[in-house]
Amino acid sequence: MSGPLLQVRAVSRWFGGLRAVDEVSFDLGSHEILGLIGPNGAGKTTLFETISGFIRPTKGAVTFDGRDITGQPPHRLARLGIGRTFQIVQPFREVSVLENVIAGVLGPNRPTADPRVEAMAVLTRVRLDHRAGVLARNLSLPEKKRLEIARALATRPRLLLLDEVMAGLTPAEIDEIMVILADIRREGVALLIVEHVMRAIMSLSDRLVVMANGRKIAEGLPAIVAADPAVIEAYLGRRHHGAA
Amino acid sequence: MKSMLALGLVVALLAAVAPFLSIYGQHIFVLVALYGAVALAWNILGGMAGQMSLGHALFVGAGAYLSTALYLNLGLSPWIGLVLAACLGGALGALMGYTVFRRKLSGVYFALVTLALAEMTLHIVSNVPALGAANGLAIPAQPSMANLQFASKLGYCYVALGVLAVVAVAIIAIHRSRLGYVFLAIRENERSAAALGIDVVQGKVIAAAISGALAALVGPIYANYVLFIDPESVFGITLSIDALLFSFVGGLGSLFGPLLGTVVLVPLTELLRGLLAGRLAGIHLIIYGVILVLVMRLAPRGLWGLLSDAIARRRA
Amino acid sequence: MDLLPLLPQALADGLLLGAVYAIVAVGLTLTFGVLRIVNFAHGDFLALGLYLTYLGAIWLHLDPYLSLVLVLPLVTLAAAFVYRLLIAPIILAPEHNQIVVTLGLSLILQNAMLAIFTADLHAVPSVLSGRIVNIGNVFIQAAALIASAASIAVCLGLYWLLRSTELGRQIRAAAQDRDAALMSGVNVDRMYLIAFCIGVGSLGLVAPLIAPFNYVSPSVGSNFTLTAFIVVVLGSMGNFVGALIGGFVIGLVEAVGGLLTGGSINFIITYAIFILFLLFRPEGLLGGRRL
């Protein structure tokens, strides 16, 4: 595997006069977990939307596995191997957990031997197989989060974008997700994670990218980034010591 | 394959029962089968894919006029007219879908566009002398298989049942294929659908094309049953609203709810018409309106939803 | 056939027709354009007002310009009743709920009027019935002239109401961002109710004004409902001056189109314009907020 899996090159997104994302660049390797952090309003979500195809960047380029995917629509990116979850989980409420995941299996329009079997395998990976027949709207929040991950996994991504997947979970539930994500990485999926739950992203990530006011202000190993005065000033500071 | 077998059984049963119905009963049979087919076809776009059309009469009328005009002018058998009607309906649906959905028009705007398209077509046809203008087209009664005309109502029962079966087969086939999941995802959450690799616009266009093609099949059958069509009867908003109404009352999200709604409401309407003998015009429409409002407020998943809830409770 | 001498009359007819379309549509501009409430029964409230005006004439021998005083509050009351009973409970529900519920309401209203009054056309006698004003070689119905003046006044009045009054400010706040408005103390429910009543109740003003030159029939409603939606989209959603302009455009298109082609071609043109605008210029003639 030559070259990084994902290359973000000087991506900018302006809304009128507001520079929500300003010349952000970084690479992601094919077996990496990259954490994207920063205070609220730093532009992380906008950058996410740009990489996952829901918003076109005003300037800059995004490359995936060597090919230029700038401005490509989300469904094409999914078929190329980029999956994502959404911050506000929205499962297909009126059908079962299994059907939700089958939708993920069939979505990219790839040939499959048996969608049900494949979907059950994915559900097993996220420890949701015992809830396969339950209607999605009857799930608890942590279960819905895992369903969200399962559905994205079902599309057989090589890169999974996770948008604040730990938000609203208890520490025990966060630990569960962390185990699942570590398993996913072990199976060969790269992860780009936006997160506010500090302890989770610090221990999961191989590297961190820190954004503030639309710009990248730091990049590197979590321990080093955490000690960067610019980062502390922008964001971490007192919060890191007591963060959960 | 279980559903196909079940369908086959139901069709066989209905086919066996038809000869024993009275003439009036057979008339109701034909109406229920035809309206049911339109409602089921509407539901593919409206219920399965979540895009509510208020102008589905466009497809029925297109099918009816195409088949009838070809028969009257070129002597073309309505059986061929049926196939051509489906092609026209499908093409119209695809064209409409492609122009509308690409602009990201949905919800009430899509409903308004479909309404305007149907009304516009009604007025256009009303002004085309070759299509009979506002007076419509009459088909001379010449019962024969080739003309898709039958001396007794029984023949029409079977043909109408056939169209209904075709629509039902299409629905079952969609449901168990990837397309069924595509429609489901689009209906539930378009953003999530896109993130799962689904081309949302393409999915909607396919839904519109299939829905239009199947609805158009009803046109030629209706035309040859009544032996007369005019713009108001096949392009009119009443028909469009009926499709929507039967689907809602029967159960929007389900596969065959619309048929249930048709089975309940069409005989009810005929009964009312019989009882009131046209004295109080429009009473059945008032009742439709009341039922629609009540269903929306009290039982949004329609009769089918009520039934499945009752069965689930019985099991628990 | 030389149509040119007939053009001024067609233009006059078009402007007057357009003014009627505008005053019918302006209420929808408020309920749909601003509040985003889908009400397919809008035109049926107009029909209701017309029948009330008719009853006022045959039971109380009131001229429409007098029965206005009764019809306006009655229609507004009906609007309030409908809002509380049908719309308020589903205001936050998916859009198709409103479409279906108001379609049901439209069926009920239209056919109730059909059942009670039959499909016969009725004319409402008025002191101004048949009174014609002559400008050059153009003939204008005096009642239509009054209705047009009222139309301009109502459109500008609603524009002023929404822009420059406290009530208008609150309505706009409630419509734009429900949660933010709630937090700043706006009674969102009440604002919606008031705005809906103004929007639909305005038809209680329109009905007596157009009764002297419009037949009363149950299907008046559906004719006007679709045209009202067209005018609202054409005039840019939520834009009251736009409703006036949109109304005039449609009126002129129909009148001049009718002159040039005869027959119901004019409806076809109107619908075609509507579809084209939705597809290619959904922000309407005056631009601004997109759909």
Side-chain angles (χ1 to χ4, degrees), chain A residues 49 54 74-75 78-79 84 86 90-95 99 102-104 106-109 151 155, chain B residues 175 177-178 181-182 184-200 202 301:
Chain A
E49 297 273 291
F54 284 90
H75 71 270
R79 296 182 189 193
R84 76 164 281 184
F86 291 88
Q90 285 175 327
F92 301 144
R93 294 168 42 92
E94 298 301 324
V95 293
E99 307 246 79
I102 293 178
L106 295 175
N109 209 4
R151 214 167 53 175
T155 65
Chain B
H175 182 67
S177 72
R178 173 177 179 265
Y181 285 96
V182 168
L184 163 73
I186 292 175
R187 174 182 88 224
E188 289 274 336
N189 191 315
E190 287 184 29
R191 267 169 66 94
S192 296
L196 295 178
I198 292 170
D199 186 337
V200 171
Q202 185 190 69
R301 285 165 60 230

Side-chain angles (χ1 to χ4, degrees), chain A residues 36-48:
Chain A
L36 183 59
I37 61 174
N40 281 323
K44 310 187 294 294
T45 307
T46 309
L47 181 63
F48 227 59

Side-chain angles (χ1 to χ4, degrees), chain B residues 52 54 99-100 103 105 107-109 112-113 115-117 119-120 123-124 127 241 244 248 280-282 285-286 288-290 292-293 296-297, chain C residues 32 36 38 40 85-86 89 95-97 99-101 103-104 107-108 111-112 115 226 229 237 264 267-268 271-272 274-275 278-280 291:
Chain B
M52 262 187 53
L54 284 180
T99 38
V100 172
R103 314 262 168 216
L105 282 180
V108 64
Y109 303 105
L112 285 171
V113 168
L115 181 60
L117 274 171
E119 288 293 297
M120 191 172 81
H123 282 104
I124 290 177
N127 282 287
I241 293 188
L244 183 152
F248 260 94
L280 282 178
L285 287 173
I286 299 179
Y288 274 8
V290 172
L292 200 54
V293 172
M296 277 316 297
R297 300 278 294 110
Chain C
F32 181 51
R36 300 289 191 211
V38 181
F40 271 100
L85 194 64
L86 292 181
E95 203 173 45
H96 75 244
N97 285 33
I99 296 177
V100 177
V101 165
L103 267 180
L107 281 175
I108 296 172
N111 291 285
L226 185 53
F229 272 105
M237 300 279 287
S264 58
F267 286 126
I268 299 174
Y271 296 141
F274 180 49
I275 295 167
L278 274 178
L279 290 180
F280 300 110
L291 297 182

